[in-house]
Amino acid sequence: MTRIVLDAMGGDLAPQATVAGAVEAARDGITVVLVGVEEQIRAELDRVEGPTPNIEVVHAPEVVAMGDHDARATLRRRDTSIAVGIELIREGAGDAFISAGNTGAVLAVSLVRLGRLPGVERPAIGILLPMPRGVLLFLDGGANADARPSHLLQWAVLGASYMRTTRGLAEPEVALLNIGGEATKGSQVTVEAHALLAASGLNFIGNVEGRDLPSRPADVVVTDGFTGNTVLKFAEGLSSMLFEELREAASQSLRARIGGLLIRREARRMRDRLDYRVYGAAPLLGLQGTVYIGHGSSDARAIANAIRTADGAAAAGIVDALRAAAAEGEQAAS
Amino acid sequence: MTRIVLDAMGGDLAPQATVAGAVEAARDGITVVLVGVEEQIRAELDRVEGPTPNIEVVHAPEVVAMGDHDARATLRRRDTSIAVGIELIREGAGDAFISAGNTGAVLAVSLVRLGRLPGVERPAIGILLPMPRGVLLFLDGGANADARPSHLLQWAVLGASYMRTTRGLAEPEVALLNIGGEATKGSQVTVEAHALLAASGLNFIGNVEGRDLPSRPADVVVTDGFTGNTVLKFAEGLSSMLFEELREAASQSLRARIGGLLIRREARRMRDRLDYRVYGAAPLLGLQGTVYIGHGSSDARAIANAIRTADGAAAAGIVDALRAAAAEGEQAAS
């Protein structure tokens, strides 16, 4: 039995969305520990209709604000929902911690309190992207603005292990995001990373380009956190813009308006299928513990799915699998 | 009167698409010099119905293949359509050169034969992106896989000058693509570039993120060629995927099928408005001459629009404007 620790105060819609999402997942049989201002959490729980089984509450009086960028100050505050939640994981009182709150704070506290896995220089954010052909693990999603070739190799090792452990893939395919197909193409970092990946024991299929991503060219695609974060945010902006323009197109004549109404249900279903909320949160890979970061605008559905995602990974023994993979990767590299 | 030199052999659909596009633009009154294998060009011209005024042909017996990545060998070949076309520009026998052929070859030949503008370390590909709120100049589109902060500053200077000269904007707004809004956020390169841009005389509005791009947050957005190229190719892939999924959604029920048919015309018009072919080609900024690079899959419409875009810029005196801006930027920086 796993216990998932949730930052009840994290995200733009907390604590309403976090408590509602936790109740939804807990009703599936997952034990959820809500960490945050107890009074507020209890008030939200009281509003829920029907029973709320499998829910525990741990009080944490302080909250890290979404706009707080002072990581050093955050690290000194031991009573925030993030610090208390991470501490529960560290003590073994929980199997995974999820927060849709301040990403920088979650990163900083996790790194300092849990520490890195041996063989990992920098943890990365692994984004689970729902694609028409299945889920793609894309990393780094933005934990590191600069990346060295060795980081990209380590993220590939962690990503492959994550997909092997959580999705049952025997030999996950790994690709490098680059701006050309040949091994000699790209930036200094990607050219060196290509060589490291080709010499690793991974199932490395080579470079892929931005245009290949939506067709899910591999199980895992690695890139630096600057490019990864930019691509993800651009995907958000571009799909919003295209759907907005389609809505606009569907208002330009009576004919188009009727067409828009007739196709609306299927278009929405399509959009939902490709929505980030399908997985709800992104694993932080490379830590001595299981931590997931949710989107700041997570609603109850996203939170419930994040809990299910973290629960599945924890039940599959993700930390031990990642630890073994990182140690093996380190040995292979040395 | 301007004369636009077109690589008749460049692109996947050449010489059919290049000759047809040239004829279309030439009928508007633009003089077009077609460079390439004369026999093939004449054969295409013979197929055109109606008159073909304002067209000249210059013979170049050789062609650089699209898949040829040996820039050094390309530079030795003086008889290719790219080399002959660039030479016409250098001699002043043409005001702008356009090629939808091998981008690496066009870059290498332009750089060596035309040379850089004083004050410019590396030329950049300036992508003219049609957006719902107007055209955005996004650079570097991929000429340089690695960028230094000084390069980003120079591209901002060139980009602002391009928009000022060709679009009549008095003080074009310039932004830096980054992964956070604050000046201290981002990679080492973007943090330093932010400081340079803030201290420049440009109308610098600060950092923008990937999600802001589709809403055209500025007139000019600068980034390194790796990120720029990845974002552009990803935009291609993602929009194809979304339209493909919408088509699929519109086949899932009779109701949706009828809806799809009714809205098709408006959806296509919307897609066309945001199509790269609206401008047809991307200026190479920072050279002693006007060179445009077209998409490898350019059709006749894209080629005709590329000729119109290059003609407009040449008529506005783009090279002199860029030279003056680069010199001024150099003085301000020193």
Side-chain angles (χ1 to χ4, degrees), chain B residues 8 34 51 56 77 85 114 140 170 210 232 238 253:
Chain B
L34 288 165
E56 298 170 22
R77 297 167 65 195
L114 300 176
D140 174 22
L232 290 168
L238 183 63
S253 68

Side-chain angles (χ1 to χ4, degrees), chain A:
Chain A
M1 282 296 297
T2 60
R3 288 159 63 87
I4 306 301
V5 181
L6 177 70
D7 175 6
M9 315 311 286
D12 302 329
L13 308 177
Q16 291 89 335
T18 46
V19 171
V23 169
E24 188 187 323
R27 283 177 181 164
D28 293 350
I30 303 173
T31 299
V32 182
V33 182
L34 288 166
V35 182
V37 182
E38 183 157 11
E39 201 181 347
Q40 291 184 37
I41 297 172
R42 298 273 175 215
E44 288 300 328
L45 282 169
D46 285 345
R47 271 189 229 172
V48 173
E49 285 178 39
T52 57
N54 308 319
I55 294 271
E56 298 170 22
V57 179
V58 170
H59 182 58
E62 291 186 46
V63 176
V64 181
M66 292 298 271
D68 189 342
H69 294 305
D70 188 346
R72 226 173 286 171
T74 299
L75 284 170
R76 280 194 300 266
R77 296 167 67 195
R78 302 299 179 94
D79 287 339
T80 65
S81 55
I82 291 171
V84 172
I86 295 278
E87 192 58 24
L88 288 173
I89 297 301
R90 204 186 59 78
E91 290 168 353
D95 299 288
F97 174 69
I98 304 169
S99 177
N102 186 316
T103 299
V106 178
L107 273 167
V109 176
S110 307
L111 193 57
V112 170
R113 302 280 168 239
L114 300 175
R116 290 167 291 141
L117 290 173
V120 176
E121 291 167 277
R122 307 278 286 265
I125 300 176
I127 308 289
L128 296 162
L129 288 173
M131 299 272 180
R133 296 198 202 159
V135 60
L136 166 69
L137 179 59
F138 181 63
L139 74 172
D140 174 19
N144 308 278
D146 290 291
R148 284 203 295 267
S150 59
H151 301 160
L152 291 167
L153 173 63
Q154 289 157 19
W155 300 339
V157 167
L158 294 169
S161 171
Y162 187 90
M163 292 301 267
R164 198 182 301 117
T165 309
T166 62
R167 320 285 306 179
L169 303 173
E171 297 247 25
E173 290 187 336
V174 175
L176 173 67
L177 185 63
N178 208 337
I179 59 169
E182 300 85 3
T184 56
K185 283 282 173 119
S187 63
Q188 288 174 22
V189 168
T190 56
V191 169
E192 277 184 53
H194 187 106
L196 291 179
L197 286 162
S200 75
L202 294 167
N203 185 10
F204 178 56
I205 64 158
N207 295 341
V208 296
E209 297 193 80
R211 75 161 66 83
D212 307 320
L213 288 178
S215 59
R216 194 188 185 278
D219 301 305
V220 179
V221 174
V222 291
T223 188
D224 65 274
F226 187 93
T227 310
N229 194 264
T230 298
V231 162
L232 290 167
K233 285 179 178 159
F234 180 64
E236 261 183 61
L238 184 63
S239 16
S240 293
M241 185 267 266
L242 288 176
F243 280 101
E244 185 55 47
E245 288 294 302
L246 271 176
R247 250 194 306 275
E248 172 67 25
S251 73
Q252 277 164 7
S253 68
L254 179 61
R255 181 194 158 101
R257 257 200 301 280
I258 295 169
L261 286 173
L262 291 175
I263 204 177
R264 191 163 60 175
R265 194 194 307 166
E266 278 79 4
R268 278 204 186 141
R269 202 176 295 154
M270 181 279 257
R271 199 179 178 172
D272 283 351
R273 223 176 39 239
L274 304 176
D275 195 296
Y276 73 91
R277 286 173 295 187
V278 172
Y279 301 104
L284 250 179
L285 297 172
L287 294 170
Q288 305 257 24
T290 305
V291 176
Y292 280 80
I293 292 176
H295 199 289
S297 62
S298 291
D299 59 10
R301 182 188 152 210
I303 295 289
N305 286 342
I307 295 169
R308 293 182 186 111
T309 299
D311 177 64
I318 190 66
V319 183
D320 293 336
L322 292 171
R323 182 179 289 113
E328 210 176 299
E330 195 184 20
Q331 233 165 10
S334 67

